[in-house]
Every structure is written in structure tokens, then in C-alpha cells.
Amino acid sequence: MPPGRKMVQNAGAKRVTLKFLAEYLGLSPTTVSVVLTNSPLSSTIAKPTKDRIWEAARKFGYRPNLFARYLHTKRTFSIAVLVPEIGDEFSAMLISGIEAKLAEAKFNYFVESHRFAPQQIENSPDTLMDRQVEGMIFLNTPLNKEMPVPVVAISDITNAPGVTRIVIDNYHAVLLGLRHLKELGHRRIAFFKGPEGNGDTDARWKAIVHASSEMGIQVKPELTATMGTYFAAGEKSMMQRGYEAAQMLMQKSQDFTALLAFNDGSAVGAIRAIQDAGLTVPHNVSVVGIDDIQIVGFISPRLTTVRQPLKHMGEMAASTLLQRIQGEAVPEETVVQPELVVRESTSRVNR
């Protein structure tokens, strides 16, 4: 019986090892390992050889022994993702991008949610370090101390030493939303100011004040609603906050024809409050959100919003973290540009 055939028969009886694949292919274990772990050295190996290795790995259902990999390299090839809450669509879209990029690099990851609890936010970084992670990604989460591993944040509130940030251009986001409303004839515009301590609140509010002044739009106190604090977000969803903020606005004044919400969640809540008050969107009030989470393309009316490329931002965060783990230099902050997505929740002013 040919040696290769004998090996195929024996492979089903026990775990397929790297040594088995190397013997089957007539290659060194090092060569096989370099290809299967996507090591930088794999670029020196001829494509036909790589193709043979991957074909054999698929054929025998080879799975790497992660513990052996750790003993050999003294690396865990794992990272942690810390989020306020796992279930919200904003975090889910970011995690989707993170996952895609880490899978390409054969890195493992796990997600921990702090649920806006101050003590857990304080303790989670050290707890995650106990799991021997090689890096961390923080989503809209504060960090008060420097960590011994690289940290990449999608947020501007994660500003401890050594943090690399991926952030949206908040001024451009606000400018796109306000310009759209002004072109539709709106001048009496209401605003939501985000939760105090939230990653985008201060930058977005400064952008509103600046851009409104440039466009000759007044930001009136009676047409401004605040949305509580960052830490209270675990008690009320962003949609509930938007609902209550819109109710508060309408109790103070209904002398506005448009609303620029803090984000999509608050915009969805505001639309429901406006409808519950017997008004319609956009006939009575046009509403603009910021984010472009998936649900807003399916509510009624479909939401006009300023899109953050959330999945792409997740991919950027993961790529940046992998570069830092490899010791490569990266920019301290990368600013991502948004784009306007016009749907059904805005129209020309009717009053």
C-alpha cells in the first residue's frame, strides 16, 4: 500500500497533527506551520507549495493545537473587546467588522460588556489582562490608566496614555445633516444633546454650535433637549431617551419643523413621540439621525441619517491593533468621514 494511502487511513483514528501533515506532504513541520499560521515568512514560500498545504489541511480536517502554539510562541493570539452592551446594534455592527479582520489573521477574541457600571468599567481592563490577551479594543468606553498591551478605541473618551483611536468626523457629520435640512427650507431646528460623558457628545455639540452659526441657524435653549448621562444608559435605552427628549421638547415648544437627533436610536424614539403627539414625520417634523444602524432602513418612515461606516470602523480598529501588536507604528488618531443617506423622514418645510 502506498505510504500516502496508509497515512490517510490512520488519520481518522486520531487527531491530525502538524507532524502528520508534514510527513504526508514531504515537507518540514516548520514550512507547514508557517503557511497555516499565515506567518510573514509564508510570503517566501512558493504558491504551489502553499496550495498543497492548504489542500491537505482541508482534506484531513486539520485543526491547530492552540495550546501547543502558545507553548511554542509564548503568544495567545487573542484579544479582548470591551463594550457598554453587547445587544445594541451599534456595537454589533462594529464587532462584525472586528471579527472579520481578526478571522483573517487567525486571532481569537472575546467580548465583555460592562453595562455602564462604573466599578466594572474600572475593573474590567485588569480582569481582561488575566486572560493573557495581546491587545484590547474599547467601544465607547472610558479608560483611566495605561495598559501593558496595545489598546485601540472606537471613541474619543478612551483617552488614557498609549491608546490609539478611530473616531468619526463629528463636525462633518453635523454639517451634512444641517445642510440637508437647510436646503429643504428648515430654519427652526431642534437638537438633541447626547448623554453627558458619552464619547461623541461634546464634539458633536460643539459641531452643532459652530455649524449652526456658520449657516445662520439659531440654537435655542427651548429647542434643545439633553439626554442624561453616560452611566445612566444601562437604565434606559437610547430609543427611550429619544422618546422622552422629544416629549420634553414638544411640551416646551412646538415651534420647530425639524430635529437633528444625537444618533439613530434617539431619532427612532423621537419619531414615535412625534407620532404619538398626533403629528407626522416628515410632514410636520423632519428628523435626521446619525449612525445608520440597520433597523433605520426598515422603520416607518425610513430614517434619513448621517452614516458612520461602522463595520469598516471595526475592521480599521482590528487592523490597527494587529499592527500595534506586531510593533508597527500607527497614527494616534484616525478620523473617518461620514456620508448623508436620504430616506423618508425628511421633506421640504410645510410651515
Side-chain angles (χ1 to χ4, degrees):
M1 181 179 292
R5 181 70 58 82
K6 184 176 181 180
M7 285 180 163
V8 172
Q9 290 178 336
N10 289 342
K14 59 182 180 179
R15 180 187 180 99
V16 178
T17 65
L18 190 69
K19 181 180 178 182
F20 168 84
L21 286 182
E23 290 178 357
Y24 173 78
L25 293 164
L27 299 169
S28 74
T30 299
T31 298
V32 177
S33 176
V34 161
V35 171
L36 293 180
T37 59
N38 200 26
S39 163
L41 288 175
S42 65
S43 62
T44 65
I45 297 173
K47 186 176 184 301
T49 301
K50 288 194 218 178
D51 290 344
R52 286 180 58 218
I53 292 171
W54 283 114
E55 182 181 354
R58 287 190 292 269
K59 181 175 184 177
F60 297 119
Y62 171 75
R63 296 180 62 192
N65 186 325
L66 296 179
F67 181 66
R69 188 182 182 193
Y70 167 70
L71 291 177
H72 178 67
T73 63
K74 304 304 180 189
R75 297 183 60 188
T76 61
F77 297 91
S78 64
I79 69 127
V81 181
L82 187 59
V83 302
E85 50 188 342
I86 297 173
D88 73 286
E89 197 169 347
F90 179 87
S91 295
M93 291 176 72
L94 290 170
I95 291 171
S96 175
I98 292 168
E99 180 180 51
K101 192 57 64 174
L102 292 177
E104 291 178 10
K106 295 182 172 55
F107 261 68
N108 304 301
Y109 77 99
F110 57 89
V111 181
E112 180 166 316
S113 167
H114 56 70
R115 300 292 300 172
F116 300 96
Q119 194 62 44
Q120 193 161 342
I121 292 173
E122 179 68 26
N123 295 335
S124 287
D126 292 330
T127 302
L128 296 173
M129 283 305 306
D130 291 341
R131 301 198 181 188
Q132 303 296 313
V133 295
E134 295 192 35
M136 301 180 187
I137 297 178
F138 280 49
L139 307 186
N140 194 28
T141 297
L143 176 66
N144 300 319
K145 56 191 172 186
E146 187 171 6
M147 300 303 297
V149 296
V151 177
V152 175
I154 304 179
S155 165
D156 62 3
I157 59 170
T158 313
N159 49 17
V163 173
T164 303
R165 290 182 295 278
I166 311 293
V167 297
I168 194 70
D169 185 336
N170 275 297
Y171 177 76
H172 192 202
V174 167
L175 188 66
L176 288 172
L178 284 179
R179 185 182 292 158
H180 172 64
L181 291 173
K182 185 175 180 180
E183 288 173 351
L184 292 173
H186 297 279
R187 296 295 184 275
R188 292 169 289 151
I189 301 173
F191 299 94
F192 284 170
K193 184 176 182 180
E196 181 183 344
N198 185 284
D200 290 306
T201 292
D202 289 344
R204 202 163 289 175
W205 186 251
K206 288 176 183 176
I208 285 172
V209 173
H210 187 175
S212 296
S213 177
E214 287 183 333
M215 284 189 266
I217 295 170
Q218 281 188 288
V219 180
K220 298 180 179 181
E222 65 269 24
L223 296 184
T224 300
T226 57
M227 304 183 69
T229 68
Y230 173 87
F231 292 108
E235 302 167 9
K236 290 182 182 178
S237 70
M238 193 59 73
M239 285 185 281
Q240 181 64 33
R241 289 179 182 224
Y243 185 91
E244 293 176 2
Q247 284 185 320
M248 182 177 68
L249 277 177
M250 289 184 291
Q251 288 170 3
K252 290 192 296 184
S253 171
Q254 291 194 10
D255 187 31
F256 60 94
T257 63
L259 167 67
L260 179 61
F262 172 66
N263 59 11
D264 285 352
S266 61
V268 171
I271 288 174
R272 172 52 58 190
I274 292 166
Q275 292 170 335
D276 285 354
L279 304 174
T280 61
V281 176
H283 179 77
N284 298 115
V285 182
S286 287
V287 178
V288 176
I290 297 177
D291 281 341
D292 198 29
I293 58 176
Q294 291 182 351
I295 191 175
V296 301
F298 298 92
I299 62 170
S300 180
R302 295 179 175 90
L303 182 68
T304 292
T305 189
V306 180
R307 174 182 293 156
Q308 292 196 67
L310 295 174
K311 184 174 182 180
H312 177 59
M313 290 170 72
E315 292 172 346
M316 290 177 65
S319 295
T320 301
L321 183 60
L322 292 171
Q323 287 178 280
R324 289 197 57 190
I325 289 171
Q326 295 297 329
E328 300 177 24
V330 297
E332 183 176 331
E333 183 171 277
T334 300
V335 180
V336 179
Q337 295 302 314
E339 63 176 307
L340 179 69
V341 181
V342 179
R343 296 194 179 100
E344 300 167 348
S345 67
T346 52
S347 66
R348 294 202 64 82
V349 67
N350 289 307
R351 57 188 174 96

